PDB file of all heavy atoms in Angstrom:
ATOM      1  N   GLY T   1      -1.631 -11.811  26.034  1.00 96.00           N
ATOM      2  CA  GLY T   1      -1.958 -10.592  26.793  1.00 96.00           C
ATOM      3  C   GLY T   1      -0.985  -9.560  26.658  1.00 96.00           C
ATOM      4  O   GLY T   1      -1.233  -8.336  26.483  1.00 96.00           O
ATOM      5  N   ASP T   2       0.377  -9.949  26.994  1.00 96.00           N
ATOM      6  CA  ASP T   2       1.353  -8.839  27.090  1.00 96.00           C
ATOM      7  C   ASP T   2       1.682  -8.382  25.656  1.00 96.00           C
ATOM      8  O   ASP T   2       1.997  -7.144  25.460  1.00 96.00           O
ATOM      9  CB  ASP T   2       2.660  -9.417  27.678  1.00 96.00           C
ATOM     10  CG  ASP T   2       3.259 -10.791  27.005  1.00 96.00           C
ATOM     11  OD1 ASP T   2       2.348 -11.288  26.235  1.00 96.00           O
ATOM     12  OD2 ASP T   2       4.348 -11.096  27.302  1.00 96.00           O
ATOM     13  N   VAL T   3       1.578  -9.181  24.661  1.00 97.00           N
ATOM     14  CA  VAL T   3       1.909  -8.830  23.253  1.00 97.00           C
ATOM     15  C   VAL T   3       0.670  -7.853  22.802  1.00 97.00           C
ATOM     16  O   VAL T   3       0.947  -6.835  22.059  1.00 97.00           O
ATOM     17  CB  VAL T   3       1.950 -10.002  22.322  1.00 97.00           C
ATOM     18  CG1 VAL T   3       2.072  -9.496  20.844  1.00 97.00           C
ATOM     19  CG2 VAL T   3       3.143 -10.854  22.713  1.00 97.00           C
ATOM     20  N   GLU T   4      -0.563  -8.133  23.343  1.00 97.00           N
ATOM     21  CA  GLU T   4      -1.716  -7.331  22.912  1.00 97.00           C
ATOM     22  C   GLU T   4      -1.588  -5.976  23.527  1.00 97.00           C
ATOM     23  O   GLU T   4      -1.817  -4.878  22.792  1.00 97.00           O
ATOM     24  CB  GLU T   4      -2.962  -7.939  23.509  1.00 97.00           C
ATOM     25  CG  GLU T   4      -4.265  -7.296  23.031  1.00 97.00           C
ATOM     26  CD  GLU T   4      -4.860  -7.948  21.909  1.00 97.00           C
ATOM     27  OE1 GLU T   4      -4.145  -7.949  20.849  1.00 97.00           O
ATOM     28  OE2 GLU T   4      -5.959  -8.586  22.026  1.00 97.00           O
ATOM     29  N   VAL T   5      -1.048  -5.797  24.732  1.00 97.00           N
ATOM     30  CA  VAL T   5      -0.847  -4.530  25.379  1.00 97.00           C
ATOM     31  C   VAL T   5       0.120  -3.637  24.574  1.00 97.00           C
ATOM     32  O   VAL T   5      -0.210  -2.505  24.232  1.00 97.00           O
ATOM     33  CB  VAL T   5      -0.454  -4.662  26.860  1.00 97.00           C
ATOM     34  CG1 VAL T   5       0.040  -3.287  27.439  1.00 97.00           C
ATOM     35  CG2 VAL T   5      -1.568  -5.212  27.670  1.00 97.00           C
ATOM     36  N   ARG T   6       1.240  -4.248  24.175  1.00 97.00           N
ATOM     37  CA  ARG T   6       2.211  -3.447  23.373  1.00 97.00           C
ATOM     38  C   ARG T   6       1.752  -3.159  22.053  1.00 97.00           C
ATOM     39  O   ARG T   6       2.009  -2.124  21.518  1.00 97.00           O
ATOM     40  CB  ARG T   6       3.537  -4.213  23.429  1.00 97.00           C
ATOM     41  CG  ARG T   6       4.693  -3.475  22.553  1.00 97.00           C
ATOM     42  CD  ARG T   6       6.089  -3.938  22.870  1.00 97.00           C
ATOM     43  NE  ARG T   6       6.500  -3.446  24.143  1.00 97.00           N
ATOM     44  CZ  ARG T   6       7.159  -2.207  24.361  1.00 97.00           C
ATOM     45  NH1 ARG T   6       7.114  -1.309  23.350  1.00 97.00           N
ATOM     46  NH2 ARG T   6       7.471  -1.904  25.521  1.00 97.00           N
ATOM     47  N   ALA T   7       1.075  -4.132  21.458  1.00 97.00           N
ATOM     48  CA  ALA T   7       0.687  -3.893  20.129  1.00 97.00           C
ATOM     49  C   ALA T   7      -0.416  -2.730  20.083  1.00 97.00           C
ATOM     50  O   ALA T   7      -0.333  -1.911  19.134  1.00 97.00           O
ATOM     51  CB  ALA T   7      -0.176  -5.102  19.575  1.00 97.00           C
ATOM     52  N   LEU T   8      -1.276  -2.606  21.087  1.00 97.00           N
ATOM     53  CA  LEU T   8      -2.171  -1.408  21.148  1.00 97.00           C
ATOM     54  C   LEU T   8      -1.414  -0.098  21.290  1.00 97.00           C
ATOM     55  O   LEU T   8      -1.613   0.745  20.469  1.00 97.00           O
ATOM     56  CB  LEU T   8      -3.134  -1.633  22.399  1.00 97.00           C
ATOM     57  CG  LEU T   8      -3.849  -0.376  22.771  1.00 97.00           C
ATOM     58  CD1 LEU T   8      -4.943  -0.103  21.796  1.00 97.00           C
ATOM     59  CD2 LEU T   8      -4.467  -0.448  24.211  1.00 97.00           C
ATOM     60  N   ILE T   9      -0.469   0.008  22.172  1.00 96.00           N
ATOM     61  CA  ILE T   9       0.238   1.215  22.441  1.00 96.00           C
ATOM     62  C   ILE T   9       1.124   1.614  21.165  1.00 96.00           C
ATOM     63  O   ILE T   9       1.070   2.722  20.792  1.00 96.00           O
ATOM     64  CB  ILE T   9       1.129   1.101  23.698  1.00 96.00           C
ATOM     65  CG1 ILE T   9       0.276   1.017  24.923  1.00 96.00           C
ATOM     66  CG2 ILE T   9       1.956   2.423  23.830  1.00 96.00           C
ATOM     67  CD1 ILE T   9      -0.836   2.004  25.111  1.00 96.00           C
ATOM     68  N   GLU T  10       1.774   0.582  20.709  1.00 96.00           N
ATOM     69  CA  GLU T  10       2.750   0.912  19.552  1.00 96.00           C
ATOM     70  C   GLU T  10       1.825   1.268  18.306  1.00 96.00           C
ATOM     71  O   GLU T  10       2.209   2.163  17.514  1.00 96.00           O
ATOM     72  CB  GLU T  10       3.641  -0.193  19.245  1.00 96.00           C
ATOM     73  CG  GLU T  10       4.768  -0.440  20.290  1.00 96.00           C
ATOM     74  CD  GLU T  10       5.766  -1.359  19.895  1.00 96.00           C
ATOM     75  OE1 GLU T  10       5.659  -2.091  18.855  1.00 96.00           O
ATOM     76  OE2 GLU T  10       6.774  -1.493  20.699  1.00 96.00           O
ATOM     77  N   GLY T  11       0.784   0.532  18.101  1.00 95.00           N
ATOM     78  CA  GLY T  11      -0.168   0.883  17.031  1.00 95.00           C
ATOM     79  C   GLY T  11      -0.759   2.223  17.090  1.00 95.00           C
ATOM     80  O   GLY T  11      -0.866   2.896  16.104  1.00 95.00           O
ATOM     81  N   GLN T  12      -1.192   2.682  18.317  1.00 94.00           N
ATOM     82  CA  GLN T  12      -1.746   3.912  18.445  1.00 94.00           C
ATOM     83  C   GLN T  12      -0.685   5.045  18.212  1.00 94.00           C
ATOM     84  O   GLN T  12      -0.992   6.050  17.478  1.00 94.00           O
ATOM     85  CB  GLN T  12      -2.237   4.174  19.864  1.00 94.00           C
ATOM     86  CG  GLN T  12      -3.480   3.381  20.111  1.00 94.00           C
ATOM     87  CD  GLN T  12      -4.270   3.771  21.504  1.00 94.00           C
ATOM     88  OE1 GLN T  12      -3.530   4.046  22.452  1.00 94.00           O
ATOM     89  NE2 GLN T  12      -5.568   3.686  21.472  1.00 94.00           N
ATOM     90  N   PHE T  13       0.570   4.921  18.630  1.00 91.00           N
ATOM     91  CA  PHE T  13       1.535   5.923  18.381  1.00 91.00           C
ATOM     92  C   PHE T  13       2.068   5.861  16.995  1.00 91.00           C
ATOM     93  O   PHE T  13       2.379   6.804  16.316  1.00 91.00           O
ATOM     94  CB  PHE T  13       2.696   5.720  19.301  1.00 91.00           C
ATOM     95  CG  PHE T  13       2.467   6.479  20.679  1.00 91.00           C
ATOM     96  CD1 PHE T  13       1.767   5.834  21.624  1.00 91.00           C
ATOM     97  CD2 PHE T  13       2.961   7.742  20.867  1.00 91.00           C
ATOM     98  CE1 PHE T  13       1.342   6.612  22.823  1.00 91.00           C
ATOM     99  CE2 PHE T  13       2.728   8.444  22.094  1.00 91.00           C
ATOM    100  CZ  PHE T  13       1.912   7.794  23.070  1.00 91.00           C
ATOM    101  N   MET T  14       2.161   4.622  16.396  1.00 91.00           N
ATOM    102  CA  MET T  14       2.545   4.559  14.884  1.00 91.00           C
ATOM    103  C   MET T  14       1.512   5.327  14.057  1.00 91.00           C
ATOM    104  O   MET T  14       1.808   6.015  13.207  1.00 91.00           O
ATOM    105  CB  MET T  14       2.632   3.130  14.470  1.00 91.00           C
ATOM    106  CG  MET T  14       3.302   2.908  13.232  1.00 91.00           C
ATOM    107  SD  MET T  14       3.412   1.189  12.639  1.00 91.00           S
ATOM    108  CE  MET T  14       4.642   0.737  13.979  1.00 91.00           C
ATOM    109  N   ALA T  15       0.144   5.105  14.407  1.00 91.00           N
ATOM    110  CA  ALA T  15      -0.765   5.771  13.567  1.00 91.00           C
ATOM    111  C   ALA T  15      -0.676   7.327  13.682  1.00 91.00           C
ATOM    112  O   ALA T  15      -0.859   8.056  12.707  1.00 91.00           O
ATOM    113  CB  ALA T  15      -2.219   5.331  14.024  1.00 91.00           C
ATOM    114  N   LYS T  16      -0.334   7.793  14.918  1.00 89.00           N
ATOM    115  CA  LYS T  16      -0.276   9.236  15.080  1.00 89.00           C
ATOM    116  C   LYS T  16       1.005   9.659  14.183  1.00 89.00           C
ATOM    117  O   LYS T  16       0.918  10.689  13.581  1.00 89.00           O
ATOM    118  CB  LYS T  16       0.012   9.494  16.569  1.00 89.00           C
ATOM    119  CG  LYS T  16      -1.194   9.297  17.366  1.00 89.00           C
ATOM    120  CD  LYS T  16      -0.961   9.421  18.848  1.00 89.00           C
ATOM    121  CE  LYS T  16      -2.186   9.416  19.701  1.00 89.00           C
ATOM    122  NZ  LYS T  16      -2.918   8.160  19.637  1.00 89.00           N
ATOM    123  N   ARG T  17       2.086   8.985  14.221  1.00 87.00           N
ATOM    124  CA  ARG T  17       3.210   9.424  13.383  1.00 87.00           C
ATOM    125  C   ARG T  17       2.834   9.473  11.930  1.00 87.00           C
ATOM    126  O   ARG T  17       3.253  10.402  11.198  1.00 87.00           O
ATOM    127  CB  ARG T  17       4.321   8.485  13.659  1.00 87.00           C
ATOM    128  CG  ARG T  17       5.550   8.721  12.687  1.00 87.00           C
ATOM    129  CD  ARG T  17       6.725   7.814  12.847  1.00 87.00           C
ATOM    130  NE  ARG T  17       7.607   8.053  11.753  1.00 87.00           N
ATOM    131  CZ  ARG T  17       8.906   7.574  11.756  1.00 87.00           C
ATOM    132  NH1 ARG T  17       9.319   6.773  12.766  1.00 87.00           N
ATOM    133  NH2 ARG T  17       9.717   7.795  10.771  1.00 87.00           N
ATOM    134  N   ILE T  18       2.244   8.350  11.436  1.00 88.00           N
ATOM    135  CA  ILE T  18       1.952   8.204  10.073  1.00 88.00           C
ATOM    136  C   ILE T  18       1.131   9.422   9.569  1.00 88.00           C
ATOM    137  O   ILE T  18       1.395   9.979   8.502  1.00 88.00           O
ATOM    138  CB  ILE T  18       1.204   6.868   9.763  1.00 88.00           C
ATOM    139  CG1 ILE T  18       2.150   5.660   9.908  1.00 88.00           C
ATOM    140  CG2 ILE T  18       0.658   6.796   8.360  1.00 88.00           C
ATOM    141  CD1 ILE T  18       1.497   4.431   9.918  1.00 88.00           C
ATOM    142  N   HIS T  19      -0.010   9.689  10.332  1.00 87.00           N
ATOM    143  CA  HIS T  19      -0.776  10.693   9.889  1.00 87.00           C
ATOM    144  C   HIS T  19      -0.176  12.164  10.094  1.00 87.00           C
ATOM    145  O   HIS T  19      -0.476  13.072   9.368  1.00 87.00           O
ATOM    146  CB  HIS T  19      -2.226  10.643  10.678  1.00 87.00           C
ATOM    147  CG  HIS T  19      -2.898   9.518  10.243  1.00 87.00           C
ATOM    148  ND1 HIS T  19      -3.550   9.365   8.956  1.00 87.00           N
ATOM    149  CD2 HIS T  19      -3.216   8.273  10.819  1.00 87.00           C
ATOM    150  CE1 HIS T  19      -4.119   8.256   8.800  1.00 87.00           C
ATOM    151  NE2 HIS T  19      -3.935   7.546   9.961  1.00 87.00           N
ATOM    152  N   ALA T  20       0.583  12.283  11.148  1.00 86.00           N
ATOM    153  CA  ALA T  20       1.366  13.496  11.313  1.00 86.00           C
ATOM    154  C   ALA T  20       2.281  13.899  10.055  1.00 86.00           C
ATOM    155  O   ALA T  20       2.380  14.993   9.557  1.00 86.00           O
ATOM    156  CB  ALA T  20       2.220  13.587  12.597  1.00 86.00           C
ATOM    157  N   GLU T  21       2.905  12.789   9.613  1.00 85.00           N
ATOM    158  CA  GLU T  21       3.913  12.995   8.486  1.00 85.00           C
ATOM    159  C   GLU T  21       3.105  13.243   7.217  1.00 85.00           C
ATOM    160  O   GLU T  21       3.495  13.990   6.296  1.00 85.00           O
ATOM    161  CB  GLU T  21       4.627  11.659   8.161  1.00 85.00           C
ATOM    162  CG  GLU T  21       5.826  11.516   9.342  1.00 85.00           C
ATOM    163  CD  GLU T  21       6.574  10.236   9.105  1.00 85.00           C
ATOM    164  OE1 GLU T  21       6.122   9.290   8.437  1.00 85.00           O
ATOM    165  OE2 GLU T  21       7.700  10.288   9.545  1.00 85.00           O
ATOM    166  N   GLY T  22       1.801  12.742   7.132  1.00 84.00           N
ATOM    167  CA  GLY T  22       0.963  12.955   6.023  1.00 84.00           C
ATOM    168  C   GLY T  22       0.572  14.521   5.863  1.00 84.00           C
ATOM    169  O   GLY T  22       0.292  14.956   4.911  1.00 84.00           O
ATOM    170  N   LEU T  23       0.634  15.289   7.133  1.00 83.00           N
ATOM    171  CA  LEU T  23       0.402  16.630   7.026  1.00 83.00           C
ATOM    172  C   LEU T  23       1.590  17.586   6.979  1.00 83.00           C
ATOM    173  O   LEU T  23       1.561  18.697   6.939  1.00 83.00           O
ATOM    174  CB  LEU T  23      -0.341  17.038   8.320  1.00 83.00           C
ATOM    175  CG  LEU T  23      -1.781  16.380   8.431  1.00 83.00           C
ATOM    176  CD1 LEU T  23      -2.358  16.709   9.827  1.00 83.00           C
ATOM    177  CD2 LEU T  23      -2.775  16.923   7.316  1.00 83.00           C
ATOM    178  N   GLY T  24       2.748  16.954   6.941  1.00 82.00           N
ATOM    179  CA  GLY T  24       4.002  17.677   6.698  1.00 82.00           C
ATOM    180  C   GLY T  24       4.996  17.575   7.814  1.00 82.00           C
ATOM    181  O   GLY T  24       6.166  18.192   7.621  1.00 82.00           O
ATOM    182  N   TYR T  25       4.686  16.907   8.866  1.00 80.00           N
ATOM    183  CA  TYR T  25       5.563  16.824  10.025  1.00 80.00           C
ATOM    184  C   TYR T  25       6.537  15.654   9.732  1.00 80.00           C
ATOM    185  O   TYR T  25       6.294  14.664   9.148  1.00 80.00           O
ATOM    186  CB  TYR T  25       4.844  16.489  11.294  1.00 80.00           C
ATOM    187  CG  TYR T  25       5.719  16.528  12.525  1.00 80.00           C
ATOM    188  CD1 TYR T  25       6.008  17.744  13.172  1.00 80.00           C
ATOM    189  CD2 TYR T  25       6.171  15.374  13.002  1.00 80.00           C
ATOM    190  CE1 TYR T  25       6.805  17.823  14.245  1.00 80.00           C
ATOM    191  CE2 TYR T  25       7.005  15.441  14.155  1.00 80.00           C
ATOM    192  CZ  TYR T  25       7.317  16.613  14.788  1.00 80.00           C
ATOM    193  OH  TYR T  25       8.092  16.591  15.877  1.00 80.00           O
ATOM    194  N   ARG T  26       7.756  15.876  10.204  1.00 74.00           N
ATOM    195  CA  ARG T  26       8.834  14.912   9.912  1.00 74.00           C
ATOM    196  C   ARG T  26       9.421  14.501  11.211  1.00 74.00           C
ATOM    197  O   ARG T  26      10.007  15.336  11.941  1.00 74.00           O
ATOM    198  CB  ARG T  26       9.941  15.485   9.002  1.00 74.00           C
ATOM    199  CG  ARG T  26       9.434  15.615   7.574  1.00 74.00           C
ATOM    200  CD  ARG T  26       9.110  14.285   6.888  1.00 74.00           C
ATOM    201  NE  ARG T  26       8.570  14.378   5.604  1.00 74.00           N
ATOM    202  CZ  ARG T  26       7.228  14.295   5.370  1.00 74.00           C
ATOM    203  NH1 ARG T  26       6.388  13.975   6.345  1.00 74.00           N
ATOM    204  NH2 ARG T  26       6.750  14.394   4.197  1.00 74.00           N
ATOM    205  N   VAL T  27       9.409  13.193  11.584  1.00 60.00           N
ATOM    206  CA  VAL T  27       9.917  12.603  12.731  1.00 60.00           C
ATOM    207  C   VAL T  27      11.211  12.101  12.342  1.00 60.00           C
ATOM    208  O   VAL T  27      11.416  11.230  11.404  1.00 60.00           O
ATOM    209  CB  VAL T  27       9.086  11.427  13.368  1.00 60.00           C
ATOM    210  CG1 VAL T  27       9.693  10.884  14.554  1.00 60.00           C
ATOM    211  CG2 VAL T  27       7.705  11.963  13.612  1.00 60.00           C
ATOM    212  N   LYS T  28      12.310  12.505  13.004  1.00 48.00           N
ATOM    213  CA  LYS T  28      13.692  12.189  12.515  1.00 48.00           C
ATOM    214  C   LYS T  28      13.993  10.674  13.059  1.00 48.00           C
ATOM    215  O   LYS T  28      14.639   9.941  12.211  1.00 48.00           O
ATOM    216  CB  LYS T  28      14.713  13.205  13.319  1.00 48.00           C
ATOM    217  CG  LYS T  28      14.652  14.536  12.735  1.00 48.00           C
ATOM    218  CD  LYS T  28      15.718  15.311  13.304  1.00 48.00           C
ATOM    219  CE  LYS T  28      15.674  16.834  12.834  1.00 48.00           C
ATOM    220  NZ  LYS T  28      16.681  17.755  13.452  1.00 48.00           N
ATOM    221  N   ARG T  29      13.622  10.263  14.201  1.00 35.00           N
ATOM    222  CA  ARG T  29      14.049   8.939  14.722  1.00 35.00           C
ATOM    223  C   ARG T  29      12.806   8.290  15.339  1.00 35.00           C
ATOM    224  O   ARG T  29      12.184   8.815  16.260  1.00 35.00           O
ATOM    225  CB  ARG T  29      15.210   9.057  15.675  1.00 35.00           C
ATOM    226  CG  ARG T  29      16.507   9.399  15.023  1.00 35.00           C
ATOM    227  CD  ARG T  29      17.598   9.254  16.085  1.00 35.00           C
ATOM    228  NE  ARG T  29      17.352  10.174  17.281  1.00 35.00           N
ATOM    229  CZ  ARG T  29      18.059  10.029  18.330  1.00 35.00           C
ATOM    230  NH1 ARG T  29      19.024   9.127  18.488  1.00 35.00           N
ATOM    231  NH2 ARG T  29      17.706  10.962  19.384  1.00 35.00           N
ATOM    232  N   LEU T  30      12.395   7.230  14.830  1.00 31.00           N
ATOM    233  CA  LEU T  30      11.317   6.441  15.483  1.00 31.00           C
ATOM    234  C   LEU T  30      11.621   6.025  16.883  1.00 31.00           C
ATOM    235  O   LEU T  30      10.716   6.196  17.753  1.00 31.00           O
ATOM    236  CB  LEU T  30      11.069   5.176  14.732  1.00 31.00           C
ATOM    237  CG  LEU T  30       9.875   4.284  15.130  1.00 31.00           C
ATOM    238  CD1 LEU T  30       8.534   5.089  14.942  1.00 31.00           C
ATOM    239  CD2 LEU T  30       9.657   3.086  14.324  1.00 31.00           C
ATOM    240  N   LYS T  31      12.938   5.900  17.239  1.00 28.00           N
ATOM    241  CA  LYS T  31      13.341   5.638  18.570  1.00 28.00           C
ATOM    242  C   LYS T  31      12.860   6.673  19.510  1.00 28.00           C
ATOM    243  O   LYS T  31      12.453   6.368  20.644  1.00 28.00           O
ATOM    244  CB  LYS T  31      14.747   5.436  18.666  1.00 28.00           C
ATOM    245  CG  LYS T  31      15.267   5.066  20.065  1.00 28.00           C
ATOM    246  CD  LYS T  31      16.828   4.855  20.024  1.00 28.00           C
ATOM    247  CE  LYS T  31      17.323   4.512  21.443  1.00 28.00           C
ATOM    248  NZ  LYS T  31      18.794   4.361  21.497  1.00 28.00           N
ATOM    249  N   ASP T  32      12.854   7.914  19.133  1.00 31.00           N
ATOM    250  CA  ASP T  32      12.649   9.028  19.950  1.00 31.00           C
ATOM    251  C   ASP T  32      11.032   8.936  20.454  1.00 31.00           C
ATOM    252  O   ASP T  32      10.830   9.281  21.509  1.00 31.00           O
ATOM    253  CB  ASP T  32      12.827  10.424  19.273  1.00 31.00           C
ATOM    254  CG  ASP T  32      14.344  10.719  19.167  1.00 31.00           C
ATOM    255  OD1 ASP T  32      15.024  10.057  19.931  1.00 31.00           O
ATOM    256  OD2 ASP T  32      14.598  11.520  18.319  1.00 31.00           O
ATOM    257  N   VAL T  33      10.285   8.576  19.451  1.00 31.00           N
ATOM    258  CA  VAL T  33       8.826   8.455  19.761  1.00 31.00           C
ATOM    259  C   VAL T  33       8.590   7.284  20.813  1.00 31.00           C
ATOM    260  O   VAL T  33       7.980   7.480  21.815  1.00 31.00           O
ATOM    261  CB  VAL T  33       8.045   8.120  18.477  1.00 31.00           C
ATOM    262  CG1 VAL T  33       6.523   7.897  18.891  1.00 31.00           C
ATOM    263  CG2 VAL T  33       8.226   9.205  17.505  1.00 31.00           C
ATOM    264  N   PHE T  34       9.239   6.217  20.627  1.00 31.00           N
ATOM    265  CA  PHE T  34       8.999   5.097  21.444  1.00 31.00           C
ATOM    266  C   PHE T  34       9.638   5.359  22.874  1.00 31.00           C
ATOM    267  O   PHE T  34       9.184   4.976  23.920  1.00 31.00           O
ATOM    268  CB  PHE T  34       9.635   3.741  20.983  1.00 31.00           C
ATOM    269  CG  PHE T  34       8.702   3.161  19.901  1.00 31.00           C
ATOM    270  CD1 PHE T  34       9.280   2.874  18.727  1.00 31.00           C
ATOM    271  CD2 PHE T  34       7.370   3.214  20.015  1.00 31.00           C
ATOM    272  CE1 PHE T  34       8.489   2.240  17.641  1.00 31.00           C
ATOM    273  CE2 PHE T  34       6.563   2.700  19.060  1.00 31.00           C
ATOM    274  CZ  PHE T  34       7.121   2.158  17.841  1.00 31.00           C
ATOM    275  N   TRP T  35      10.880   6.026  22.789  1.00 30.00           N
ATOM    276  CA  TRP T  35      11.492   6.354  24.074  1.00 30.00           C
ATOM    277  C   TRP T  35      10.560   7.298  24.928  1.00 30.00           C
ATOM    278  O   TRP T  35      10.359   7.119  26.157  1.00 30.00           O
ATOM    279  CB  TRP T  35      12.782   7.147  23.814  1.00 30.00           C
ATOM    280  CG  TRP T  35      13.543   7.671  25.111  1.00 30.00           C
ATOM    281  CD1 TRP T  35      14.327   6.865  25.864  1.00 30.00           C
ATOM    282  CD2 TRP T  35      13.426   8.903  25.732  1.00 30.00           C
ATOM    283  NE1 TRP T  35      14.741   7.616  26.880  1.00 30.00           N
ATOM    284  CE2 TRP T  35      14.215   8.903  26.932  1.00 30.00           C
ATOM    285  CE3 TRP T  35      12.674  10.027  25.380  1.00 30.00           C
ATOM    286  CZ2 TRP T  35      14.303   9.940  27.683  1.00 30.00           C
ATOM    287  CZ3 TRP T  35      12.779  11.221  26.308  1.00 30.00           C
ATOM    288  CH2 TRP T  35      13.546  11.104  27.352  1.00 30.00           C
ATOM    289  N   ALA T  36       9.938   8.265  24.275  1.00 33.00           N
ATOM    290  CA  ALA T  36       9.034   9.243  25.043  1.00 33.00           C
ATOM    291  C   ALA T  36       7.826   8.344  25.609  1.00 33.00           C
ATOM    292  O   ALA T  36       7.460   8.626  26.643  1.00 33.00           O
ATOM    293  CB  ALA T  36       8.468  10.261  24.040  1.00 33.00           C
ATOM    294  N   LYS T  37       7.463   7.347  24.783  1.00 34.00           N
ATOM    295  CA  LYS T  37       6.167   6.521  25.265  1.00 34.00           C
ATOM    296  C   LYS T  37       6.686   5.777  26.451  1.00 34.00           C
ATOM    297  O   LYS T  37       5.948   5.615  27.539  1.00 34.00           O
ATOM    298  CB  LYS T  37       5.850   5.662  24.089  1.00 34.00           C
ATOM    299  CG  LYS T  37       4.770   4.801  24.515  1.00 34.00           C
ATOM    300  CD  LYS T  37       4.516   3.749  23.490  1.00 34.00           C
ATOM    301  CE  LYS T  37       5.703   2.807  23.417  1.00 34.00           C
ATOM    302  NZ  LYS T  37       5.553   1.751  22.306  1.00 34.00           N
ATOM    303  N   GLU T  38       7.930   5.124  26.438  1.00 31.00           N
ATOM    304  CA  GLU T  38       8.378   4.435  27.589  1.00 31.00           C
ATOM    305  C   GLU T  38       8.593   5.288  28.803  1.00 31.00           C
ATOM    306  O   GLU T  38       8.111   4.864  29.872  1.00 31.00           O
ATOM    307  CB  GLU T  38       9.767   3.726  27.236  1.00 31.00           C
ATOM    308  CG  GLU T  38       9.712   2.722  26.083  1.00 31.00           C
ATOM    309  CD  GLU T  38       9.062   1.464  26.542  1.00 31.00           C
ATOM    310  OE1 GLU T  38       8.765   1.325  27.677  1.00 31.00           O
ATOM    311  OE2 GLU T  38       8.836   0.482  25.702  1.00 31.00           O
ATOM    312  N   LYS T  39       9.030   6.424  28.593  1.00 33.00           N
ATOM    313  CA  LYS T  39       9.170   7.293  29.762  1.00 33.00           C
ATOM    314  C   LYS T  39       7.883   7.682  30.458  1.00 33.00           C
ATOM    315  O   LYS T  39       7.958   8.048  31.697  1.00 33.00           O
ATOM    316  CB  LYS T  39       9.912   8.557  29.243  1.00 33.00           C
ATOM    317  CG  LYS T  39      11.343   8.386  28.822  1.00 33.00           C
ATOM    318  CD  LYS T  39      12.224   8.140  29.977  1.00 33.00           C
ATOM    319  CE  LYS T  39      12.501   9.323  30.865  1.00 33.00           C
ATOM    320  NZ  LYS T  39      13.541   9.024  31.870  1.00 33.00           N
TER     321      LYS T  39
END
C-alpha cells in the first residue's frame, strides 16, 4: 500500500517532466520537482 501511493505520485510527476522536456522545457534538478511535491 505505501509503495503504491508513492509509485502513483512519483509516476504522475515523472510523466509530466518527461513530456514537458519533449516540448522543449528543461528541468535542471529532479530533486526540485520532488521537493515541490513533498512540500
Side-chain angles (χ1 to χ4, degrees):
D2 55 346
V3 175
E4 189 91 294
V5 167
R6 180 166 282 279
L8 167 72
I9 296 301
E10 290 192 350
Q12 287 189 329
F13 275 81
M14 188 176 296
K16 291 173 174 61
R17 171 183 173 165
I18 290 168
H19 291 288
E21 289 183 333
L23 292 175
Y25 186 81
R26 290 292 173 261
V27 180
K28 293 183 179 179
R29 292 186 298 167
L30 184 60
K31 180 180 178 181
D32 290 343
V33 177
F34 287 135
W35 178 85
K37 181 192 62 183
E38 295 287 352
K39 290 290 285 186

